[in-house]
């Protein structure tokens, strides 16, 4: 049963999981299964990864999917295709060019009229100079002035029209750039279908889920924090900025966000054994097996279907059609001068490739000879008709040893080929078992080659996959969304998640068009613990800063990103939320608190002490005053610093009730010598803090000159 005769099922996009880069989409399709069990699920995007397609039957335990493959269909786009934006841009571009041409012509007229000058007639020899009447000069000046006035007025109108046209063109071009890529962008609409083969369904109606991966989707977390003063809890709304250019609009889909890398390898590491004793060579694992018997007969029906239409042959050129794996090619002048195929690595399930010796020697399989055609090294030039590879007086192609050949091609007949084959040396046979490379043992990256490949590669596994330039261009355009600038304070989820992966499921369905710009999606509401702290370092800046201390009591991590803080239904600030692990506590700065003021004054007194005044004493006094103008009590943390010395002779004596910090909230690092005051201020209350320290320096270590008091 051909795929063209398969029944078509329309699919609906149901859910999308957006990863750090890329997404996994799931489509649902329902219908009755025909007797042959072959159905086509339509609606898949052009940028999907064919190797990621998975299909399963929902709600029918006895029905299973035995085969799934991807096919591309091309259909001409009708006249009613929604392409108004592109046509509008083209129309405005033409209108802008016409307006610019009219403006340039008007400028040339202004220059032409402005260059009008009175030119006296040529004076003959011996003729006296003539007197020019002043009225003629004045009339010419009045004409030029009136003409320039009218031309400049028209020039202003044309420049305004050109500016309007350029503005409309810029707006239309921006709208086209931001438009969804779901609509076809060419005269041919390429659609992707998943051809499924169902077994055990009978004539029942079943529902099928098709899963596939697509590039061109990114996301970044964002938050909104709702807090009320005096309340120890708050509501943290997790939102996500999602941008996608996958070629299909996500309309009414269930959204999930994951920090994992979609292209990360999932194979398990292998732990090798440690041996004590004489070293023994480690046998490399080999996955190579002998090809199954009758592999060449597998494509007998394909070869017997007849040659494909010949390409590149001149009309009326004599020759024959040979078939070498990838269809037939028109051969002229004896046999085909095809380009040399690149050397292919040894495939899984086939004999090892035998490298050609430097001195020459044909390929080990089949007919390895090849003609030297025009434009090839060592090829004699022929005087025949171009494109035929031969003609009257053309040199016959030779079968010189070392000429590159095509393995697996059927040997043509003829005395010249028989003499070349008999004179060719026998190919070298490698000794021992085959030794596949590491790429050939990477089973996840091997691809089964089809009948269009060369004869030595058909039906075998080889690294890589056949390239599709059209699909590669679609993927390149889709992956351009990765370079989209992030919103303010946003962090890539792969950077903030660290070594762990997290997933967040949105509570409601969302709509995200394929336009490549950021769209905000509300994911969930997370309860967090909150308390407000006030912090100041008056020795650096006499300003009190407010901060929110967040505690995450849930089992989900909070990734780094921007957070919009709302206090008492009033927007306060947009800050940067650091990564908050489950059970972690972090501080988020809110900026200066103008209602809490701080003032700091210091005094320094220098004296000497000890026998013969051998010790210099520097007495530092610190006075800090705090004022609370808020209507609620606050706790202010005042940070000071005390000098730290690595010299044992230099002593520092503190005289204050401050304390050394035991450790801040989260991974906060305190510099050595940090001291902390914690003060409770009532509404409208004040507080005064006094502290100080003495520095005793021996006379031999005293700094001579300079500022030694700060």
């Amino acid at each position: 049963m051909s795929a063209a005769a398969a029944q078509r099922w329309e699919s609906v996009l149901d859910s999308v999981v957006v990863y750090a880069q890329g997404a996994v989409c799931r489509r649902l399709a329902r219908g009755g299964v025909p007797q042959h069990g072959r159905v086509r699920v339509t609606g898949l995007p052009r940028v999907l990864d064919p190797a990621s397609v998975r299909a399963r039957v929902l709600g029918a335990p006895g029905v299973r999917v035995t085969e799934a493959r991807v096919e591309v269909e091309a259909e001409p786009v009708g006249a009613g295709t929604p392409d108004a934006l592109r046509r509008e841009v083209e129309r405005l571009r033409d209108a802008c060019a016409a307006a610019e041409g009219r403006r340039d012509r008007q400028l040339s007229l202004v220059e032409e009229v402005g260059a009008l000058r009175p030119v006296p007639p040529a004076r003959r020899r011996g003729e006296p100079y003539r007197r020019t009447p002043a009225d003629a000069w004045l009339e010419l000046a009045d004409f030029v002035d009136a003409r320039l006035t009218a031309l400049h007025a028209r020039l202003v109108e044309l420049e305004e029209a050109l500016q309007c046209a350029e503005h409309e063109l810029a707006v239309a071009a921006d709208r086209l750039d931001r438009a969804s890529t779901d609509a076809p962008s060419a005269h041919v609409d390429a659609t992707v279908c998943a051809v499924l083969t169902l077994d055990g369904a009978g004539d029942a109606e079943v529902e099928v889920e098709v899963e596939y991966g697509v590039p061109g989707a990114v996301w970044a977390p964002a938050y909104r924090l709702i807090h009320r003063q005096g309340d120890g809890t708050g509501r943290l709304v997790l939102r996500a900025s999602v941008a996608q250019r996958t070629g299909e609009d996500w309309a009414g889909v269930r959204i999930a966000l994951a920090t994992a890398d979609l292209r990360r390898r999932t194979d398990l590491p292998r732990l090798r054994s440690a041996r004590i004793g004489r070293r023994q060579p480690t046998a490399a694992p080999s996955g190579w097996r002998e090809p199954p018997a009758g592999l060449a007969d597998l494509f007998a029906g394909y070869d017997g279907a007849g040659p494909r239409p010949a390409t590149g042959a001149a009309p009326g050129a004599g020759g024959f059609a040979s078939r070498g794996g990838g269809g037939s090619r028109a051969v002229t002048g004896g046999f085909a001068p095809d380009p040399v195929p690149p050397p292919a690595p040894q495939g899984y399930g086939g004999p090892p490739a035998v490298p050609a010796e430097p001195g020459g020697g044909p390929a080990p399989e089949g007919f390895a000879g090849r003609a030297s055609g025009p434009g090839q090294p060592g090829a004699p030039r022929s005087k025949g008709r171009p494109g035929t590879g031969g003609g009257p007086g053309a040199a016959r192609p030779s079968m010189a040893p070392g000429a590159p050949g095509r393995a697996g091609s059927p040997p043509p007949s003829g005395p010249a080929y028989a003499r070349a084959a008999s004179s060719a040396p026998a190919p070298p046979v490698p000794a021992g078992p085959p030794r596949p490379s590491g790429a050939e043992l990477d089973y996840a990256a091997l691809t089964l080659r089809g009948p269009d490949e060369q004869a030595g590669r058909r039906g075998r596994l080889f690294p890589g996959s056949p390239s599709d330039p059209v699909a590669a261009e679609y993927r390149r355009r889709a992956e351009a969304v990765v370079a989209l600038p992030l919103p303010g304070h946003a962090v890539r989820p792969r950077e903030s998640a660290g070594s762990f992966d997290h997933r967040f499921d949105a509570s409601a369905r969302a709509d995200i068009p394929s336009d490549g710009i950021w769209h905000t999606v509300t994911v969930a509401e997370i309860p967090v613990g909150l308390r407000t702290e006030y912090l100041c370092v008056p020795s650096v800046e006499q300003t009190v800063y407010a901060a929110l201390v967040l505690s995450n009591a849930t089992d989900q991590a909070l990734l780094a990103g921007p957070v919009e803080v709302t206090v008492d239904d009033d927007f306060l600030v947009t800050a940067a939320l650091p990564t908050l692990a489950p059970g972690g506590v972090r501080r988020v700065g809110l900026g200066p608190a103008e209602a809490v003021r701080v003032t700091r004054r210091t005094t320094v007194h220098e004296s000497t002490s000890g026998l013969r005044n051998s010790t210099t004493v520097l007495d530092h006094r610190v006075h800090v005053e705090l004022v609370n103008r808020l209507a609620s009590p606050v706790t202010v943390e005042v940070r000071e610093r005390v000098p730290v010395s690595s010299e044992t002779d230099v002593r520092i004596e503190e005289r204050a009730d401050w304390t050394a910090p035991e450790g801040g909230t989260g991974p906060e690092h305190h510099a050595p010598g940090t001291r902390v005051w914690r003060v409770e201020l009532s509404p409208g209350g004040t507080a005064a803090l006094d502290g100080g320290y003495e520095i005793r320096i021996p006379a031999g270590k005293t700094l001579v000159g300079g500022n030694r008091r700060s």
Side-chain angles (χ1 to χ4, degrees):
M1 176 62 62
S2 63
Q7 185 175 353
R8 302 177 68 90
W9 288 3
E10 298 292 337
S11 62
V12 178
L13 187 63
D14 180 66
S15 64
V16 176
V17 181
V18 185
Y19 288 83
Q21 291 185 14
V24 173
C25 305
R26 291 180 176 86
R27 283 184 169 270
L28 299 179
R30 176 183 291 274
V33 181
Q35 294 182 355
H36 49 76
R38 186 71 60 84
V39 296
R40 302 174 68 91
V41 179
T42 62
L44 279 67
R46 190 67 177 88
V47 299
L48 68 84
D49 183 10
S52 65
V53 176
R54 304 289 186 270
R56 65 189 182 99
V57 180
L58 303 178
V63 184
R64 61 190 181 94
V65 179
T66 59
E67 182 188 5
R69 69 173 185 269
V70 177
E71 291 187 357
V72 181
E73 297 178 342
E75 297 179 357
V77 179
T81 303
D83 199 15
L85 286 178
R86 186 173 291 101
R87 291 196 299 268
E88 181 69 12
V89 170
E90 295 176 357
R91 185 189 66 80
L92 290 176
R93 187 177 290 113
D94 296 340
C96 185
E100 186 176 1
R102 289 191 294 269
R103 192 272 314 269
D104 294 340
R105 288 193 296 271
Q106 191 72 12
L107 284 175
S108 63
L109 288 177
V110 170
E111 294 177 359
E112 181 181 354
V113 173
L116 290 178
R117 297 290 185 274
V119 179
R123 187 171 63 88
R124 300 177 182 177
R125 179 181 298 179
E127 184 179 359
Y129 289 98
R130 301 178 181 179
R131 292 182 177 273
T132 304
D135 295 341
W137 287 77
L138 295 178
E139 289 179 1
L140 178 60
D142 293 342
F143 170 77
V144 171
D145 184 64
R147 184 62 176 166
L148 286 179
T149 300
L151 291 177
H152 277 289
R154 177 59 179 167
L155 180 62
V156 170
E157 297 177 359
L158 294 177
E159 287 182 346
E160 292 179 354
L162 178 60
Q163 291 180 358
C164 293
E166 291 177 347
H167 175 70
E168 293 178 359
L169 177 61
V171 171
D174 181 72
R175 190 182 298 113
L176 178 61
D177 293 339
R178 296 173 179 270
S180 173
T181 58
D182 196 0
S185 59
H187 298 288
V188 177
D189 184 14
T191 59
V192 182
C193 303
V195 181
L196 309 179
T197 303
L198 306 180
D199 185 16
D203 296 334
E205 182 177 348
V206 297
E207 185 178 14
V208 177
E209 179 188 73
V210 180
E211 175 184 295
Y212 54 89
V214 290
V218 292
W219 74 282
Y223 304 91
R224 183 181 182 185
L225 181 61
I226 302 174
H227 172 58
R228 294 192 176 277
Q229 294 184 1
D231 192 358
T233 60
R235 293 186 298 118
L236 186 66
V237 179
L238 171 59
R239 301 185 296 179
S241 299
V242 184
Q244 63 101 0
R245 204 175 183 87
T246 60
E248 60 176 341
D249 293 337
W250 299 345
V253 299
R254 293 185 287 111
I255 296 291
L257 309 169
T259 62
D261 188 0
L262 189 58
R263 294 172 291 184
R264 183 178 58 181
R265 295 291 299 266
T266 57
D267 49 352
L268 298 178
R270 179 176 298 175
L271 181 63
R272 300 184 180 275
S273 60
R275 298 176 180 271
I276 300 176
R278 182 176 298 177
R279 180 180 178 182
Q280 299 177 0
T282 304
S286 176
W288 179 84
R289 294 184 304 177
E290 289 287 346
L295 180 60
D297 299 336
L298 180 63
F299 303 97
Y302 182 83
D303 296 335
R308 292 188 176 183
T311 57
F320 62 91
S322 67
R323 190 174 181 83
S328 62
R329 293 170 300 279
V331 183
T332 58
F335 59 97
D338 291 340
V340 181
Q346 174 58 34
Y348 175 77
V354 181
E357 294 185 356
E365 288 190 50
F367 176 69
R370 184 176 176 274
S372 298
Q376 300 175 359
R381 298 182 180 271
S382 64
K383 298 182 181 180
R385 185 170 50 186
T388 62
R396 297 292 297 174
S398 62
M399 290 303 301
R406 194 184 196 110
S409 300
S413 60
Y417 308 116
R419 289 194 300 270
S422 61
S423 62
V429 178
R435 298 178 178 87
S437 63
E440 296 164 359
L441 294 177
D442 188 3
Y443 306 127
L446 297 180
T447 304
L448 182 65
R449 298 309 169 93
D452 291 335
E453 294 285 339
Q454 304 174 16
R457 298 169 63 90
R458 297 195 291 181
R460 297 180 182 179
L461 294 173
F462 283 88
S465 59
S467 60
D468 185 358
V470 178
E473 178 64 20
Y474 276 98
R475 285 192 292 269
R476 186 190 64 81
R477 295 177 182 177
E479 291 176 352
V481 77
V482 179
L484 193 65
L486 291 173
H489 301 292
V491 182
R492 300 283 182 185
R494 191 65 255 149
E495 300 175 4
S496 58
S499 59
F500 295 93
D501 292 329
H502 307 274
R503 171 169 169 164
F504 308 92
D505 294 316
S507 56
R509 294 179 177 266
D511 297 338
I512 303 176
S514 176
D515 52 7
I517 61 176
W518 294 109
H519 297 271
T520 302
V521 178
T522 301
V523 180
E525 184 176 315
I526 303 174
V528 293
L530 290 176
R531 73 172 186 271
T532 306
E533 289 186 353
Y534 294 88
L535 176 67
C536 68
V537 187
S539 61
V540 178
E541 183 181 1
Q542 296 187 19
T543 304
V544 179
Y545 289 85
L548 282 178
V549 180
L550 277 73
S551 58
N552 183 15
T554 63
D555 57 351
Q556 272 191 329
L558 302 180
L559 306 179
V563 53
E564 299 177 358
V565 182
T566 302
V567 179
D568 294 338
D569 298 332
D570 294 331
F571 173 75
L572 185 60
V573 70
T574 299
L577 177 69
T579 300
L580 193 61
V585 179
R586 297 297 295 267
R587 177 185 285 119
V588 178
L590 301 180
E594 302 293 341
V596 182
R597 306 301 298 270
V598 60
T599 305
R600 181 178 184 266
R601 294 191 299 270
T602 60
T603 57
V604 180
H605 181 264
E606 182 177 352
S607 61
T608 58
S609 65
L611 184 62
R612 297 181 181 179
N613 297 329
S614 59
T615 303
T616 302
V617 180
L618 300 177
D619 187 8
H620 291 254
R621 300 288 180 177
V622 179
H623 180 76
V624 178
E625 295 181 356
L626 297 170
V627 178
N628 179 22
R629 297 178 180 175
L630 293 174
S632 59
V634 297
T635 300
V636 183
E637 179 179 313
V638 183
R639 294 186 181 181
E640 283 289 338
R641 60 181 179 179
V642 176
V644 179
S645 175
S646 59
E647 300 289 341
T648 57
D649 297 339
V650 178
R651 295 183 301 170
I652 301 174
E653 299 178 357
E654 303 179 28
R655 296 194 303 271
D657 57 349
W658 54 42
T659 58
E662 298 179 356
T665 57
E668 187 175 2
H669 174 70
H670 295 283
T674 303
R675 300 295 181 265
V676 175
W677 274 309
R678 291 187 180 274
V679 183
E680 298 286 344
L681 294 178
S682 59
T686 61
L689 306 175
D690 292 305
Y693 52 88
E694 286 185 353
I695 305 176
R696 296 181 175 270
I697 307 174
K701 296 182 179 294
T702 304
L703 180 65
V704 178
N707 184 7
R708 57 183 184 272
R709 296 175 177 83
S710 61

